[in-house]
């Protein structure tokens, strides 16, 4: 080996240091390249997350709509149509009862299907869907509501208008006249019969009820997806300083929903259930069935369009990304740290909340109020039809368009007063109690606002029952007639009539009516006859008085719900807020929103006088004992609200040390965050019904 060549061990230390330095620099360069590649990947992911649209529905033009204002507008409009669905269903309840022969109690059970699914879906949605593409899940929730609309209207396309409705059309009457081979009793079962009539066979009784309940259950899932995820997305993608304005704007749009929904129901119910047929009765007739199914098609089409627009929003708004990167660069965090409740300390946390007297009594007061007033949110159109003999269209219009405007005014007025004058906790609790007592006073007015003509109609409608036993009227459907002495009978059979004819005005006259007392005149004894249709009852003035009291209660009642929520938010530590509101919502559902419609449905059915009896069940109710129903319904509701007022007095007593506003910087009602509001089912119910 040459002497000029050195062994590796003989390499100078200087060269070793150079080699080591080079390796370090190479390693640093590799780390730097890896970080750059990671940053590029993150930027690509971020760019993808803030890009509008999907598949072929994307582009620069569409990207310009990815703003906070556009999102809040679309979100508010979507909430408006969701609220319209709730209102439209409530507005068509009485028509559904008549068409599918469903008792009110059963419809009460059907109407709480959405509460059941929302109660559980809200918790699961908030926990499992925190890191998903939230606008697309919101769109899925809206598509679920489209399915709800289509399921409802599918009943009409499956079962049609129904034989009872078609019998009251001119085309069906013509067909009957051509059927000469039928016996006289088969041709007209309204008249007195010599033999027992066969029971009325109907299509599958339970299938429509199951479909309606399934539709409501699906609606609850869609509502949970839309509201819970939508509010969280709004909270995370809007500037905190803009939060109050964004919330107010979206809430305003949602509040338009019930009014528009009831108006749409009123418009559709003016059309006959089969628009191509010519009805022989007018909308004021209790047998009138409006085109209840038509509005569901309209709501489904528009909701589908809104759902599609919602899915086009990016996972994160570009403006939100800019703020997030700014906070990251500054080493700060713009997210609220919430306490993570594990199963281990959940029971301890619940027991801690149970010792908070203000929280407990305030929750009980809310439940009692909602339980008592729920009957007016759901069954007001039915109450107006029954007590004041108004058409379904008129009752729905009054409930939605007129009364709900006063609810909106109450919400806005209370928000302004609380924000401006910043009352104490005791003042808020005192106002809540005052509202409850004013509501009880209004409900007592409902008891007094009766209509003598309507009460006489219910008391005299069954007057012919005893004398018509031999006519075998057990399965004769409700077809009221009016006697010459202005008494309404359930049908010509119940009046003992044996024949019918036409007068010069083409009115149907029933003659030979043994149950109708003949009139003695100077010319002799008049024939015992009656005309088709119920006797005219004028209850419009009483209806206007009822409407005035109802508007006042809507105004006053809406003004207290936000103050009640404000106490609930301030009486608990911030780290327990989500748990407290979620727990309160679940308790309110279990003891208020779910049992209340079922109880009032049972109470309404209890005072039914005339059932549409069929072979397998008693069907729907056609005539009520209006006096007993008015007393029982209103006194039951008033008792619950009165107990809620006493609970608010207890809240007032224990709230003496509760601070609603900070001393240094007062917080107004607008300071309630979207996350706070989104976690309570009570606010959702308030939006649906005000």
């Amino acid at each position: 080996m040459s002497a000029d060549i050195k062994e590796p061990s003989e390499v100078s230390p200087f060269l070793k240091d150079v080699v080591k330095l080079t390796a370090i620099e190479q390693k640093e360069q590799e780390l730097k390249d890896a970080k750059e590649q990671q940053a590029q990947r993150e930027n690509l992911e971020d760019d993808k997350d803030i890009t509008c649209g999907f598949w072929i529905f994307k582009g620069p033009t569409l990207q310009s709509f990815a703003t906070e204002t556009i999102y809040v507008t679309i979100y508010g409009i979507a909430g408006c149509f969701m609220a319209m669905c709730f209102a439209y269903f409530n507005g068509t309840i009485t028509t559904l009862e008549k068409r599918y022969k469903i008792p009110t109690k059963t419809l009460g059970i059907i109407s709480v299907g959405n509460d059941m699914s929302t109660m559980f879906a809200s918790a699961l949605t908030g926990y499992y869907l925190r890191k998903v593409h939230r606008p697309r899940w919101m769109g899925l929730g809206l598509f679920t509501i489209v399915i709800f609309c289509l399921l409802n209207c599918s009943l009409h396309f499956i079962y049609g208008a129904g034989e009872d409705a078609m019998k009251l059309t001119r085309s069906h009457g013509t067909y009957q006249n051509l059927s000469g081979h039928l016996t006289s009793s088969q041709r007209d079962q309204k008249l007195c019969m010599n033999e027992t009539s066969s029971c009325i066979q109907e299509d599958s009784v339970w299938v429509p009820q199951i479909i309606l309940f399934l539709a409501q259950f699906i609606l609850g899932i869609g509502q949970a997806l839309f509201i819970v995820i939508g509010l969280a997305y709004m909270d995370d993608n809007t500037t905190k300083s803009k939060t109050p304005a964004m919330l107010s704007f979206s809430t305003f749009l949602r509040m338009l929903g019930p009014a528009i929904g009831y108006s749409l129901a009123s418009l559709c119910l003016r059309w006959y259930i089969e628009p191509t047929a010519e009805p022989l009765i007018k909308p004021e007739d209790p047998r009138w069935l409006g085109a209840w199914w038509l509005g569901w098609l309209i709501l489904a089409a528009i909701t589908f369009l809104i759902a599609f627009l919602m899915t086009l929003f990016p996972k994160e708004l570009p403006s939100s990304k800019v703020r997030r990167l700014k906070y990251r660069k500054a080493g700060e965090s713009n997210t609220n740290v919430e306490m993570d409740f594990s199963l281990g300390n959940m029971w301890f946390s619940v027991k801690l909340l149970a010792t908070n007297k203000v929280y407990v009594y305030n929750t009980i007061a809310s439940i009692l109020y909602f339980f008592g007033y729920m009957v007016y949110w759901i069954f007001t159109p039915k109450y107006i039809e029954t007590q004041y003999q108004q058409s379904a269209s008129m009752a729905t219009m009054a409930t939605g368009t007129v009364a709900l405007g006063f609810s909106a005014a109450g919400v806005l007025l209370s928000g302004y007063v609380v924000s401006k004058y910043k009352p104490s906790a005791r003042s808020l609790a005192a106002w809540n109690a005052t509202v409850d007592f004013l509501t009880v006073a209004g409900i007592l007015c409902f008891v007094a606002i009766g209509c003598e003509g309507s009460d006489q109609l219910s008391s005299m409608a069954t007057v012919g029952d005893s004398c018509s036993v031999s006519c075998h009227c057990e399965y004769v459907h409700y077809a009221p007639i009016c006697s010459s002495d202005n008494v309404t009978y359930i049908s010509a059979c119940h009046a003992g009539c044996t024949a019918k004819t036409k007068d010069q005005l083409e009115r149907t006259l029933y003659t030979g009516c043994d149950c109708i007392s003949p009139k003695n005149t100077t010319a002799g004894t008049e024939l015992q006859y009656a005309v088709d249709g119920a006797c005219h009852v004028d209850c419009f003035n009483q209806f206007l008085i009822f409407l005035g009291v109802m508007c006042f209660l809507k105004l006053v009642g809406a003004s207290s719900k936000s103050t009640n929520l404000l106490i609930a938010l301030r009486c608990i530590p911030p780290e327990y807020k989500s748990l407290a509101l979620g727990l309160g919502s679940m308790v309110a559902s279990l003891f208020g929103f779910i049992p209340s419609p079922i109880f009032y449905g049972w109470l309404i059915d209890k005072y039914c006088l005339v059932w549409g009896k069929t072979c397998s069940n008693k069907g729907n109710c056609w005539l009520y004992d209006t006096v007993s129903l008015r007393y029982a319904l209103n006194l039951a509701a008033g008792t619950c609200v009165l107990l809620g007022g006493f609970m608010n007095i207890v809240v007032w007593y224990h709230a003496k040390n509760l601070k609603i506003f900070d001393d240094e910087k007062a917080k107004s009602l607008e300071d309630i965050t979207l996350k706070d509001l989104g976690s309570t089912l009570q606010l959702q119910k308030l939006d649906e019904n005000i």
Side-chain angles (χ1 to χ4, degrees), residues 360-548:
V360 171
Y361 290 122
N362 190 67
T363 302
I364 295 175
S366 299
I367 293 174
L368 288 170
Y369 180 87
F370 284 125
F371 192 100
Y373 211 77
M374 184 67 70
V375 62
Y376 304 111
W377 283 339
I378 298 179
F379 297 117
T380 294
K382 182 180 182 68
Y383 185 87
I384 293 175
E385 291 180 50
T386 303
Q387 294 290 331
Y388 307 109
Q389 301 301 310
Q390 300 299 307
S391 66
S393 175
M394 174 63 75
T396 303
M397 178 65 71
T399 304
T401 306
V402 180
L404 292 177
F406 286 84
S407 293
V411 171
L412 297 177
L413 182 61
S414 65
Y416 170 77
V417 172
V418 173
S419 299
K420 182 176 178 60
Y421 296 102
K422 303 175 181 59
S424 64
R426 277 197 157 185
S427 298
L428 295 179
W431 174 246
N432 291 339
T434 302
V435 167
D436 288 344
F437 295 140
L438 288 175
T439 302
V440 173
I443 291 175
L444 292 178
C445 291
F446 288 163
V447 176
I449 304 173
C451 177
E452 183 179 356
S454 179
D455 296 341
Q456 289 179 350
L457 181 66
S458 62
S459 63
M460 301 179 70
T462 57
V463 70
D465 284 357
S466 58
C467 78
S468 62
V469 174
S470 59
C471 288
H472 307 288
C473 307
E474 183 178 6
Y475 291 105
V476 175
H477 61 81
Y478 183 66
I481 62 171
C482 182
S483 67
S484 56
D485 53 352
N486 205 39
V487 176
T488 298
Y489 292 80
I490 298 174
S491 70
C493 180
H494 289 82
C497 303
T498 57
K500 72 174 184 177
T501 184
K502 295 280 187 179
D503 64 3
Q504 296 178 350
L505 300 177
E506 290 299 315
R507 295 182 306 173
T508 300
L509 293 181
Y510 295 94
T511 58
C513 306
D514 293 336
C515 298
I516 299 178
S517 301
K519 283 187 175 181
N520 296 320
T521 63
T522 55
T525 302
E526 289 186 355
L527 294 176
Q528 301 161 305
Y529 73 94
V531 296
D532 195 22
C535 300
H536 175 69
V537 176
D538 185 8
C539 297
F540 191 72
N541 291 334
Q542 291 85 345
F543 165 63
L544 291 180
I545 298 174
F546 169 84
L547 185 60

Side-chain angles (χ1 to χ4, degrees), residues 238-250:
T238 56
T239 309
K240 298 307 177 188
S241 60
K242 294 182 180 179
T243 292
M246 295 293 184
L247 175 62
S248 299
F249 183 61
S250 63

